[in-house]
Amino acid sequence: MAATIIDGKAFAAGVRAQVAEHVRRLAEENSIQPGLAVVLVGADPASEVYVKSKGKMTVEVGMHSVEHRLAEDTPEADLLALIAQLNADPKIHGILVQLPLPAQLNSELVINSIDPAKDVDGFHISNVGLLGTGQKSMVPCTPLGCLMMLRDHHGDLSGLNAVVVGRSNIVGKPMAQLLLGDSCTVTIAHSRTKDLKAVCQGADILVAAVGRPEMITGDYVKPGATVIDVGINRIERDGKKKLVGDAEFASCAEVAGAITPVPGGVGPMTIACLLANTLTACCRANDLPEPKGLTV
């Protein structure tokens, strides 16, 4: 069986186009421009690249983009003061503090200082609780992107068996909650799950988010299942650096009905959903209808 490749790059481009159209209409009909503020502390190379990409795409869809770059040794009080300032700024609808933070900063304290309504990463404890109880929340970007692609591929997810391999607060747990919300039967598995292979073999939807390069191989996959590979791992093979997922692509693609590649699968959807979340936050702040197809 040759798996259908779920092209996250193309899908993300479509999401950004939808966001841009909504942003254009907000400006024309309501004289409102969604605003996203990104805060980067220190000079982590990967974070630098990611923040630059976010800023570029924010501007491309017509949003107001603000970047705050702080020194590595920034005191916690200074960062919290900046977040308080952004919380109070009516032109800013989304706030994202780029992780990881330097060691002297308490990440949980910082994230939970963001106004939950502006928490476009969906990491604030209030949003975690709202999502877990099926209420309206800001949803973490990567799981939201996965759900969008699954809905597009399957249509109705109701009754499907879903296995999420990985229990992180950023991907695994919220992914499971979103799949439950779409009436899947959900199992959260992880590296210590007994007979993990057998658990995975029962999945109609298999989400690999365990953070181990190519851990999920083709013999873990139920024939015809959909494999969503969230992993982004940099490895060295044959003397060359390579980007691979948590699923071993070649063997999984031989068995699966559909699969996301790495790179070009889930990754591009994360920034696209960040923009979608900023748009959603703006609409909620102004008591306007939320954009259809871009929220849960």
Side-chain angles (χ1 to χ4, degrees):
M1 183 183 298
T4 298
I5 306 301
I6 299 176
D7 188 342
K9 188 175 181 180
F11 198 98
V15 170
R16 293 196 304 273
Q18 291 179 64
V19 170
E21 175 60 20
H22 280 285
V23 170
R24 184 189 65 78
R25 290 209 306 267
L26 276 177
E28 289 184 358
E29 299 170 10
N30 306 97
S31 299
I32 295 170
Q33 183 184 33
L36 173 64
V38 178
V39 180
L40 175 64
V41 185
D44 178 77
S47 293
E48 289 268 9
V49 172
Y50 198 41
V51 166
K52 183 178 180 181
S53 180
K54 287 173 181 174
K56 178 184 177 183
M57 292 187 184
T58 303
V59 172
E60 285 178 352
V61 298
M63 292 184 179
H64 173 49
S65 177
V66 176
E67 288 183 14
H68 292 273
R69 294 173 178 261
L70 307 180
E72 181 85 19
D73 59 354
T74 295
E76 193 167 81
D78 290 359
L79 176 56
L80 294 176
L82 173 59
I83 292 171
Q85 176 187 326
L86 295 172
N87 283 339
D89 188 342
K91 293 182 180 180
I92 298 299
H93 303 96
I95 302 169
L96 183 149
V97 177
Q98 183 66 41
L99 301 177
L101 291 172
Q104 81 275 11
L105 302 174
N106 183 328
S107 296
E108 290 184 359
L109 176 65
V110 170
I111 295 302
N112 288 324
S113 71
I114 298 171
D115 180 347
K118 296 187 178 188
D119 168 38
V120 286
D121 252 342
F123 295 163
H124 192 288
I125 191 64
S126 294
N127 283 318
V128 173
L130 290 168
L131 178 61
T133 52
Q135 301 180 67
K136 184 182 291 186
S137 68
M138 297 307 300
V139 179
C141 301
T142 299
L144 177 59
C146 294
L147 184 69
M148 285 182 180
M149 291 190 290
L150 284 167
R151 285 175 171 175
D152 180 72
H153 180 73
H154 284 277
D156 184 14
L157 303 182
S158 179
L160 295 179
N161 289 322
V163 173
V164 180
V165 186
R167 50 183 167 176
S168 73
N169 293 329
I170 293 175
V171 179
K173 292 175 183 176
M175 187 76 250
Q177 294 292 349
L178 291 175
L179 290 167
L180 280 171
D182 270 29
S183 298
C184 291
T185 300
V186 181
T187 300
I188 300 179
H190 45 81
S191 59
R192 296 187 182 181
T193 296
K194 291 183 179 180
D195 204 354
L196 178 60
K197 183 184 295 186
V199 172
C200 293
Q201 287 170 341
D204 302 306
I205 296 169
L206 180 57
V207 181
V210 73
R212 294 189 180 184
E214 299 179 331
M215 176 178 170
I216 304 300
T217 51
D219 54 347
Y220 281 65
V221 180
K222 176 182 177 180
T226 300
V227 178
I228 302 294
D229 191 351
V230 182
I232 301 178
N233 308 287
R234 288 172 174 82
I235 65 169
E236 187 168 318
R237 180 175 291 159
D238 300 326
K240 297 180 180 179
K241 292 183 179 180
K242 187 178 181 181
L243 205 62
V244 300
D246 290 351
E248 201 285 307
F249 183 81
S251 63
C252 289
E254 290 180 359
V255 184
I259 188 170
T260 58
V262 177
V266 173
M269 287 296 293
T270 299
I271 294 180
C273 288
L274 172 66
L275 301 176
N277 276 351
T278 303
L279 172 62
T280 296
C282 177
C283 291
R284 290 177 181 174
N286 289 280
D287 294 319
L288 295 170
E290 296 180 17
K292 293 183 178 179
L294 298 177
T295 61
V296 174

